[in-house]
Amino acid sequence: YMETRNKQAWIFPANINIIDIYKAFCELGQIDWKCSSRASVGDTVYIYFSSPIKKIVLATQVIDTDVKELTKSHLQSYFHYDRYFQEYQNKRGRYIRLKLLRELSEKESNCLTFDCIKKNGLKTVSIRNAILINNNKKLSMYFEKVIK
């Protein structure tokens, strides 16, 4: 008997100055992501694009939380510099597999800029680590209102 917990929603930051995460997700459909959060299979992960975009652009879903065979090499062409890819390849730790669900509409995305999220419950000064939306009632309600 496995206890099934409610599915959770997360915000994961992506540094778009290091990797073209948008193109990678759109072309590959899924990405292996280094992850220290407690995300579980079935959870929704919203991808927040770093400066200069500073908003959530993609909705993805966790499809595996213990990726043994990393598909890292597929990502090589999406890194802006080879040294960034080398760093990514050398990272140890837990990887989860994220599958692209969809690109958010412009209307949704424009309501999920850093400033909008900040006004609606985000407590951190920047988005550098995974954020569990469910832990924050105000933020949860805001996401439910924005995402159709």
Side-chain angles (χ1 to χ4, degrees), residues 118-140:
K118 186 93 182 118
K119 275 194 202 90
N120 289 280
L122 181 74
K123 293 184 173 73
T124 57
V125 290
S126 63
I127 300 177
R128 294 198 186 283
N129 300 304
I131 292 164
L132 178 58
I133 297 169
N134 301 62
N135 272 357
N136 183 325
K137 187 113 168 83
K138 190 176 174 186
L139 199 57
S140 286

PDB file of all heavy atoms in Angstrom, residues 118-140:
ATOM      1  N   LYS A 118       5.750  37.939  -7.379  1.00  0.00           N
ATOM      2  CA  LYS A 118       6.179  38.572  -6.133  1.00  0.00           C
ATOM      3  C   LYS A 118       4.989  39.252  -5.441  1.00  0.00           C
ATOM      4  O   LYS A 118       4.797  39.119  -4.239  1.00  0.00           O
ATOM      5  CB  LYS A 118       7.275  39.612  -6.471  1.00  0.00           C
ATOM      6  CG  LYS A 118       7.933  40.248  -5.273  1.00  0.00           C
ATOM      7  CD  LYS A 118       9.191  39.491  -4.884  1.00  0.00           C
ATOM      8  CE  LYS A 118       9.824  40.089  -3.657  1.00  0.00           C
ATOM      9  NZ  LYS A 118       9.865  39.151  -2.537  1.00  0.00           N
ATOM     10  N   LYS A 119       4.177  39.965  -6.218  1.00  0.00           N
ATOM     11  CA  LYS A 119       2.996  40.639  -5.670  1.00  0.00           C
ATOM     12  C   LYS A 119       1.962  39.657  -5.145  1.00  0.00           C
ATOM     13  O   LYS A 119       1.137  40.009  -4.321  1.00  0.00           O
ATOM     14  CB  LYS A 119       2.321  41.475  -6.764  1.00  0.00           C
ATOM     15  CG  LYS A 119       2.905  42.858  -6.956  1.00  0.00           C
ATOM     16  CD  LYS A 119       1.960  43.707  -7.803  1.00  0.00           C
ATOM     17  CE  LYS A 119       2.677  44.860  -8.474  1.00  0.00           C
ATOM     18  NZ  LYS A 119       3.212  44.529  -9.815  1.00  0.00           N
ATOM     19  N   ASN A 120       2.017  38.431  -5.655  1.00  0.00           N
ATOM     20  CA  ASN A 120       0.984  37.454  -5.326  1.00  0.00           C
ATOM     21  C   ASN A 120       1.492  36.285  -4.499  1.00  0.00           C
ATOM     22  O   ASN A 120       1.053  35.153  -4.676  1.00  0.00           O
ATOM     23  CB  ASN A 120       0.307  36.970  -6.611  1.00  0.00           C
ATOM     24  CG  ASN A 120      -0.566  38.055  -7.216  1.00  0.00           C
ATOM     25  OD1 ASN A 120      -1.685  38.273  -6.773  1.00  0.00           O
ATOM     26  ND2 ASN A 120      -0.036  38.757  -8.203  1.00  0.00           N
ATOM     27  N   GLY A 121       2.425  36.598  -3.615  1.00  0.00           N
ATOM     28  CA  GLY A 121       2.765  35.600  -2.604  1.00  0.00           C
ATOM     29  C   GLY A 121       4.193  35.087  -2.574  1.00  0.00           C
ATOM     30  O   GLY A 121       4.602  34.495  -1.578  1.00  0.00           O
ATOM     31  N   LEU A 122       4.962  35.270  -3.648  1.00  0.00           N
ATOM     32  CA  LEU A 122       6.345  34.789  -3.624  1.00  0.00           C
ATOM     33  C   LEU A 122       7.123  35.515  -2.530  1.00  0.00           C
ATOM     34  O   LEU A 122       7.069  36.728  -2.439  1.00  0.00           O
ATOM     35  CB  LEU A 122       7.033  35.029  -4.978  1.00  0.00           C
ATOM     36  CG  LEU A 122       8.474  34.546  -5.077  1.00  0.00           C
ATOM     37  CD1 LEU A 122       8.528  33.021  -5.177  1.00  0.00           C
ATOM     38  CD2 LEU A 122       9.183  35.167  -6.264  1.00  0.00           C
ATOM     39  N   LYS A 123       7.838  34.734  -1.707  1.00  0.00           N
ATOM     40  CA  LYS A 123       8.510  35.354  -0.565  1.00  0.00           C
ATOM     41  C   LYS A 123      10.007  35.551  -0.763  1.00  0.00           C
ATOM     42  O   LYS A 123      10.665  36.180   0.045  1.00  0.00           O
ATOM     43  CB  LYS A 123       8.261  34.511   0.691  1.00  0.00           C
ATOM     44  CG  LYS A 123       6.799  34.529   1.126  1.00  0.00           C
ATOM     45  CD  LYS A 123       6.587  33.777   2.427  1.00  0.00           C
ATOM     46  CE  LYS A 123       5.180  33.926   2.957  1.00  0.00           C
ATOM     47  NZ  LYS A 123       4.197  33.152   2.174  1.00  0.00           N
ATOM     48  N   THR A 124      10.553  35.009  -1.848  1.00  0.00           N
ATOM     49  CA  THR A 124      12.001  35.135  -2.046  1.00  0.00           C
ATOM     50  C   THR A 124      12.330  36.359  -2.905  1.00  0.00           C
ATOM     51  O   THR A 124      11.489  36.828  -3.659  1.00  0.00           O
ATOM     52  CB  THR A 124      12.583  33.873  -2.727  1.00  0.00           C
ATOM     53  OG1 THR A 124      11.903  33.679  -3.970  1.00  0.00           O
ATOM     54  CG2 THR A 124      12.400  32.648  -1.861  1.00  0.00           C
ATOM     55  N   VAL A 125      13.552  36.843  -2.766  1.00  0.00           N
ATOM     56  CA  VAL A 125      13.957  38.042  -3.513  1.00  0.00           C
ATOM     57  C   VAL A 125      14.319  37.733  -4.964  1.00  0.00           C
ATOM     58  O   VAL A 125      14.330  38.604  -5.810  1.00  0.00           O
ATOM     59  CB  VAL A 125      15.148  38.786  -2.842  1.00  0.00           C
ATOM     60  CG1 VAL A 125      14.694  39.443  -1.554  1.00  0.00           C
ATOM     61  CG2 VAL A 125      16.304  37.839  -2.590  1.00  0.00           C
ATOM     62  N   SER A 126      14.604  36.466  -5.237  1.00  0.00           N
ATOM     63  CA  SER A 126      14.849  36.051  -6.622  1.00  0.00           C
ATOM     64  C   SER A 126      14.464  34.581  -6.719  1.00  0.00           C
ATOM     65  O   SER A 126      14.204  33.930  -5.712  1.00  0.00           O
ATOM     66  CB  SER A 126      16.314  36.247  -6.995  1.00  0.00           C
ATOM     67  OG  SER A 126      17.123  35.426  -6.191  1.00  0.00           O
ATOM     68  N   ILE A 127      14.427  34.075  -7.945  1.00  0.00           N
ATOM     69  CA  ILE A 127      14.096  32.656  -8.114  1.00  0.00           C
ATOM     70  C   ILE A 127      15.352  31.932  -8.556  1.00  0.00           C
ATOM     71  O   ILE A 127      15.701  31.920  -9.727  1.00  0.00           O
ATOM     72  CB  ILE A 127      12.935  32.476  -9.124  1.00  0.00           C
ATOM     73  CG1 ILE A 127      11.691  33.215  -8.622  1.00  0.00           C
ATOM     74  CG2 ILE A 127      12.630  30.990  -9.322  1.00  0.00           C
ATOM     75  CD1 ILE A 127      10.499  33.174  -9.547  1.00  0.00           C
ATOM     76  N   ARG A 128      16.068  31.397  -7.562  1.00  0.00           N
ATOM     77  CA  ARG A 128      17.327  30.703  -7.847  1.00  0.00           C
ATOM     78  C   ARG A 128      17.231  29.208  -7.575  1.00  0.00           C
ATOM     79  O   ARG A 128      18.034  28.422  -8.040  1.00  0.00           O
ATOM     80  CB  ARG A 128      18.468  31.284  -7.010  1.00  0.00           C
ATOM     81  CG  ARG A 128      18.798  32.715  -7.371  1.00  0.00           C
ATOM     82  CD  ARG A 128      20.176  33.103  -6.845  1.00  0.00           C
ATOM     83  NE  ARG A 128      20.468  34.504  -7.056  1.00  0.00           N
ATOM     84  CZ  ARG A 128      20.837  35.026  -8.217  1.00  0.00           C
ATOM     85  NH1 ARG A 128      20.942  34.256  -9.282  1.00  0.00           N
ATOM     86  NH2 ARG A 128      21.081  36.307  -8.333  1.00  0.00           N
ATOM     87  N   ASN A 129      16.243  28.838  -6.768  1.00  0.00           N
ATOM     88  CA  ASN A 129      16.055  27.428  -6.408  1.00  0.00           C
ATOM     89  C   ASN A 129      14.603  27.028  -6.663  1.00  0.00           C
ATOM     90  O   ASN A 129      13.754  27.875  -6.872  1.00  0.00           O
ATOM     91  CB  ASN A 129      16.396  27.214  -4.931  1.00  0.00           C
ATOM     92  CG  ASN A 129      17.827  27.578  -4.618  1.00  0.00           C
ATOM     93  OD1 ASN A 129      18.751  27.052  -5.228  1.00  0.00           O
ATOM     94  ND2 ASN A 129      18.008  28.505  -3.690  1.00  0.00           N
ATOM     95  N   ALA A 130      14.369  25.722  -6.609  1.00  0.00           N
ATOM     96  CA  ALA A 130      13.006  25.225  -6.790  1.00  0.00           C
ATOM     97  C   ALA A 130      12.093  25.784  -5.702  1.00  0.00           C
ATOM     98  O   ALA A 130      12.485  25.877  -4.541  1.00  0.00           O
ATOM     99  CB  ALA A 130      13.009  23.704  -6.744  1.00  0.00           C
ATOM    100  N   ILE A 131      10.901  26.163  -6.091  1.00  0.00           N
ATOM    101  CA  ILE A 131       9.917  26.686  -5.147  1.00  0.00           C
ATOM    102  C   ILE A 131       8.666  25.821  -5.224  1.00  0.00           C
ATOM    103  O   ILE A 131       8.133  25.584  -6.314  1.00  0.00           O
ATOM    104  CB  ILE A 131       9.568  28.146  -5.484  1.00  0.00           C
ATOM    105  CG1 ILE A 131      10.782  29.045  -5.227  1.00  0.00           C
ATOM    106  CG2 ILE A 131       8.356  28.639  -4.691  1.00  0.00           C
ATOM    107  CD1 ILE A 131      10.699  30.401  -5.867  1.00  0.00           C
ATOM    108  N   LEU A 132       8.225  25.336  -4.061  1.00  0.00           N
ATOM    109  CA  LEU A 132       7.002  24.539  -4.000  1.00  0.00           C
ATOM    110  C   LEU A 132       5.816  25.493  -3.872  1.00  0.00           C
ATOM    111  O   LEU A 132       5.662  26.176  -2.865  1.00  0.00           O
ATOM    112  CB  LEU A 132       7.058  23.571  -2.818  1.00  0.00           C
ATOM    113  CG  LEU A 132       5.821  22.698  -2.590  1.00  0.00           C
ATOM    114  CD1 LEU A 132       5.505  21.851  -3.817  1.00  0.00           C
ATOM    115  CD2 LEU A 132       6.039  21.792  -1.376  1.00  0.00           C
ATOM    116  N   ILE A 133       5.002  25.537  -4.908  1.00  0.00           N
ATOM    117  CA  ILE A 133       3.873  26.468  -4.929  1.00  0.00           C
ATOM    118  C   ILE A 133       2.837  26.105  -3.861  1.00  0.00           C
ATOM    119  O   ILE A 133       2.266  26.973  -3.209  1.00  0.00           O
ATOM    120  CB  ILE A 133       3.225  26.489  -6.338  1.00  0.00           C
ATOM    121  CG1 ILE A 133       4.239  27.012  -7.368  1.00  0.00           C
ATOM    122  CG2 ILE A 133       1.961  27.349  -6.352  1.00  0.00           C
ATOM    123  CD1 ILE A 133       3.807  26.827  -8.810  1.00  0.00           C
ATOM    124  N   ASN A 134       2.635  24.796  -3.664  1.00  0.00           N
ATOM    125  CA  ASN A 134       1.614  24.326  -2.706  1.00  0.00           C
ATOM    126  C   ASN A 134       1.858  24.795  -1.278  1.00  0.00           C
ATOM    127  O   ASN A 134       0.930  24.842  -0.477  1.00  0.00           O
ATOM    128  CB  ASN A 134       1.563  22.795  -2.690  1.00  0.00           C
ATOM    129  CG  ASN A 134       1.244  22.226  -4.047  1.00  0.00           C
ATOM    130  OD1 ASN A 134       2.009  22.423  -4.981  1.00  0.00           O
ATOM    131  ND2 ASN A 134       0.127  21.544  -4.174  1.00  0.00           N
ATOM    132  N   ASN A 135       3.100  25.093  -0.945  1.00  0.00           N
ATOM    133  CA  ASN A 135       3.429  25.531   0.421  1.00  0.00           C
ATOM    134  C   ASN A 135       2.972  26.953   0.691  1.00  0.00           C
ATOM    135  O   ASN A 135       3.126  27.440   1.805  1.00  0.00           O
ATOM    136  CB  ASN A 135       4.955  25.484   0.639  1.00  0.00           C
ATOM    137  CG  ASN A 135       5.389  24.122   1.121  1.00  0.00           C
ATOM    138  OD1 ASN A 135       4.552  23.248   1.347  1.00  0.00           O
ATOM    139  ND2 ASN A 135       6.681  23.934   1.282  1.00  0.00           N
ATOM    140  N   ASN A 136       2.451  27.613  -0.315  1.00  0.00           N
ATOM    141  CA  ASN A 136       2.153  29.030  -0.214  1.00  0.00           C
ATOM    142  C   ASN A 136       0.726  29.258  -0.719  1.00  0.00           C
ATOM    143  O   ASN A 136       0.473  29.238  -1.915  1.00  0.00           O
ATOM    144  CB  ASN A 136       3.183  29.778  -1.072  1.00  0.00           C
ATOM    145  CG  ASN A 136       3.045  31.273  -1.017  1.00  0.00           C
ATOM    146  OD1 ASN A 136       1.938  31.809  -0.927  1.00  0.00           O
ATOM    147  ND2 ASN A 136       4.165  31.959  -1.104  1.00  0.00           N
ATOM    148  N   LYS A 137      -0.197  29.450   0.226  1.00  0.00           N
ATOM    149  CA  LYS A 137      -1.625  29.531  -0.118  1.00  0.00           C
ATOM    150  C   LYS A 137      -1.924  30.633  -1.123  1.00  0.00           C
ATOM    151  O   LYS A 137      -2.614  30.430  -2.118  1.00  0.00           O
ATOM    152  CB  LYS A 137      -2.425  29.756   1.176  1.00  0.00           C
ATOM    153  CG  LYS A 137      -3.928  29.684   1.014  1.00  0.00           C
ATOM    154  CD  LYS A 137      -4.485  28.473   1.750  1.00  0.00           C
ATOM    155  CE  LYS A 137      -6.001  28.518   1.865  1.00  0.00           C
ATOM    156  NZ  LYS A 137      -6.708  28.040   0.693  1.00  0.00           N
ATOM    157  N   LYS A 138      -1.358  31.811  -0.866  1.00  0.00           N
ATOM    158  CA  LYS A 138      -1.617  32.960  -1.748  1.00  0.00           C
ATOM    159  C   LYS A 138      -1.121  32.678  -3.168  1.00  0.00           C
ATOM    160  O   LYS A 138      -1.819  32.928  -4.153  1.00  0.00           O
ATOM    161  CB  LYS A 138      -0.956  34.211  -1.163  1.00  0.00           C
ATOM    162  CG  LYS A 138      -1.363  35.496  -1.864  1.00  0.00           C
ATOM    163  CD  LYS A 138      -0.752  36.731  -1.197  1.00  0.00           C
ATOM    164  CE  LYS A 138      -1.061  37.977  -2.012  1.00  0.00           C
ATOM    165  NZ  LYS A 138      -0.374  39.171  -1.498  1.00  0.00           N
ATOM    166  N   LEU A 139       0.089  32.134  -3.248  1.00  0.00           N
ATOM    167  CA  LEU A 139       0.687  31.825  -4.545  1.00  0.00           C
ATOM    168  C   LEU A 139      -0.116  30.736  -5.264  1.00  0.00           C
ATOM    169  O   LEU A 139      -0.385  30.834  -6.462  1.00  0.00           O
ATOM    170  CB  LEU A 139       2.142  31.382  -4.346  1.00  0.00           C
ATOM    171  CG  LEU A 139       3.081  31.440  -5.542  1.00  0.00           C
ATOM    172  CD1 LEU A 139       3.145  32.838  -6.131  1.00  0.00           C
ATOM    173  CD2 LEU A 139       4.471  30.962  -5.151  1.00  0.00           C
ATOM    174  N   SER A 140      -0.509  29.704  -4.531  1.00  0.00           N
ATOM    175  CA  SER A 140      -1.323  28.614  -5.094  1.00  0.00           C
ATOM    176  C   SER A 140      -2.597  29.144  -5.717  1.00  0.00           C
ATOM    177  O   SER A 140      -2.963  28.775  -6.839  1.00  0.00           O
ATOM    178  CB  SER A 140      -1.733  27.617  -4.006  1.00  0.00           C
ATOM    179  OG  SER A 140      -0.664  26.829  -3.634  1.00  0.00           O
TER     180      SER A 140
END
